[in-house]
Amino acid sequence: MAVRPAVPEVIWARPERTGRGPRPAHSRSDIAAAAVRVADAEGIDAVTMRKIAAELGMGTMSLYNYVPRKEDLYELMVDAVSGEYSYPAPSGDWRADVLGLARQTRALMHRHPWLPRLMSPVYGFSPNALTYLEYCLSCLDPLEHPYGAKMELIAAVTGVVTTYVANEIATAERTRSLPWSEEQEQAVRIGYLGGQVASGRYPRLAAAFTEDAGPIDLEAVFERALRRTLEGFAAS
């Protein structure tokens, strides 16, 4: 197993190759693309140094020469998919621009369902992540808040999206594992919940559930959660 560095190391500060010796057979983008393919197909738990080395046709120890730690591999993966954002010119409406980015983030996480598990400030300073943050701040130029508050807003929006999508993904995965349909599952649970609410032990819940008996619009819930977050910062 590779020896961990004796001091903290940032993968982006490490040169891909030194000035001597043969040109490496693989680039960081090659390694990140292989890891993303595995994670997309089999889940993040399938991403091991041995698996990615095999995908690239090299030995595990050889991979450590490119990527010293598994955490560095994760950082390469997060940066790679962060390159999928598009950055239209800011419109001047900072709420609309941030909402547009949030929708992109949600779509990105559904394309790469492992991504919510790797969302961490530790991976927030890779090249594509820095591009994303700079663009977010440019969208927030019309908001007359200090940069510290703007960074908090970006973090809050990211937190809302990550939590929401993680729940969506978990629900979808659970549904796929059931030996019956989602409709059957929901019917049983709604029937049980209706009986509990009708018992009279939960009057506030009964009022809440009967206030609007229509189906829940999950898209609208997502939008409202984001807009309320943005309005909270606008009013502060």
Side-chain angles (χ1 to χ4, degrees), residues 1-125:
M1 187 173 181
V3 178
R4 296 173 70 91
V7 295
E9 184 180 48
V10 178
I11 186 66
W12 309 108
R14 177 187 175 100
E16 287 206 52
R17 68 184 296 259
T18 62
R20 300 177 181 177
R23 182 178 296 276
H26 301 282
S27 67
R28 281 182 187 154
S29 60
D30 294 334
I31 295 167
V36 169
R37 284 196 304 271
V38 170
D40 286 349
E42 304 177 43
I44 192 63
D45 292 332
V47 176
T48 65
M49 299 299 274
R50 182 187 299 275
K51 175 83 171 180
I52 303 310
E55 286 282 316
L56 294 166
M58 68 168 75
T60 305
M61 295 307 296
S62 296
L63 180 58
Y64 280 107
N65 292 327
Y66 295 87
V67 186
R69 305 174 303 163
K70 190 174 183 180
E71 291 82 359
D72 295 322
L73 181 59
Y74 287 160
E75 189 160 357
L76 292 178
M77 294 170 65
V78 173
D79 184 70
V81 299
S82 296
E84 297 177 18
Y85 280 100
S86 63
Y87 299 118
S91 67
D93 182 342
W94 65 269
R95 293 174 181 82
D97 291 341
V98 173
L99 282 170
L101 278 173
R103 296 182 190 113
Q104 283 199 62
T105 300
R106 185 184 179 197
L108 179 68
M109 289 181 175
H110 277 289
R111 287 197 300 274
H112 308 288
W114 48 269
L115 185 56
R117 284 182 56 182
L118 295 190
M119 292 301 289
S120 166
V122 174
Y123 304 142
F125 301 100

Side-chain angles (χ1 to χ4, degrees), residues 52-234:
I52 303 310
E55 286 282 316
L56 294 166
M58 68 168 75
T60 305
M61 295 307 296
S62 296
L63 180 58
Y64 280 107
N65 292 327
Y66 295 87
V67 186
R69 305 174 303 163
K70 190 174 183 180
E71 291 82 359
D72 295 322
L73 181 59
Y74 287 160
E75 189 160 357
L76 292 178
M77 294 170 65
V78 173
D79 184 70
V81 299
S82 296
E84 297 177 18
Y85 280 100
S86 63
Y87 299 118
S91 67
D93 182 342
W94 65 269
R95 293 174 181 82
D97 291 341
V98 173
L99 282 170
L101 278 173
R103 296 182 190 113
Q104 283 199 62
T105 300
R106 185 184 179 197
L108 179 68
M109 289 181 175
H110 277 289
R111 287 197 300 274
H112 308 288
W114 48 269
L115 185 56
R117 284 182 56 182
L118 295 190
M119 292 301 289
S120 166
V122 174
Y123 304 142
F125 301 100
S126 66
N128 282 323
L130 291 174
T131 298
Y132 172 83
L133 288 172
E134 180 67 21
Y135 177 76
C136 287
L137 290 173
S138 73
C139 292
L140 294 174
D141 278 345
L143 182 62
E144 295 183 359
H145 282 352
Y147 280 114
K150 293 179 180 180
M151 293 294 284
E152 288 179 13
L153 188 157
I154 295 167
V157 169
T158 301
V160 170
V161 176
T162 302
T163 301
Y164 195 92
V165 175
N167 287 334
E168 288 183 317
I169 291 171
T171 299
E173 290 177 347
R174 181 182 181 280
T175 299
R176 284 195 296 269
S177 69
L178 294 174
W180 45 75
S181 70
E182 180 181 3
E183 290 75 16
Q184 290 174 304
E185 170 83 4
Q186 289 300 319
V188 170
R189 292 188 174 276
I190 290 173
Y192 171 80
L193 180 60
Q196 293 299 306
V197 170
S199 70
R201 293 193 298 270
Y202 312 104
R204 293 171 185 80
L205 281 175
F209 289 132
T210 57
E211 187 175 65
D212 184 1
I216 298 174
D217 185 341
L218 296 179
E219 297 296 322
V221 171
F222 177 73
E223 294 283 327
R224 282 197 299 270
L226 289 171
R227 291 181 185 280
R228 286 166 179 163
T229 300
L230 298 181
E231 290 307 320
F233 277 87

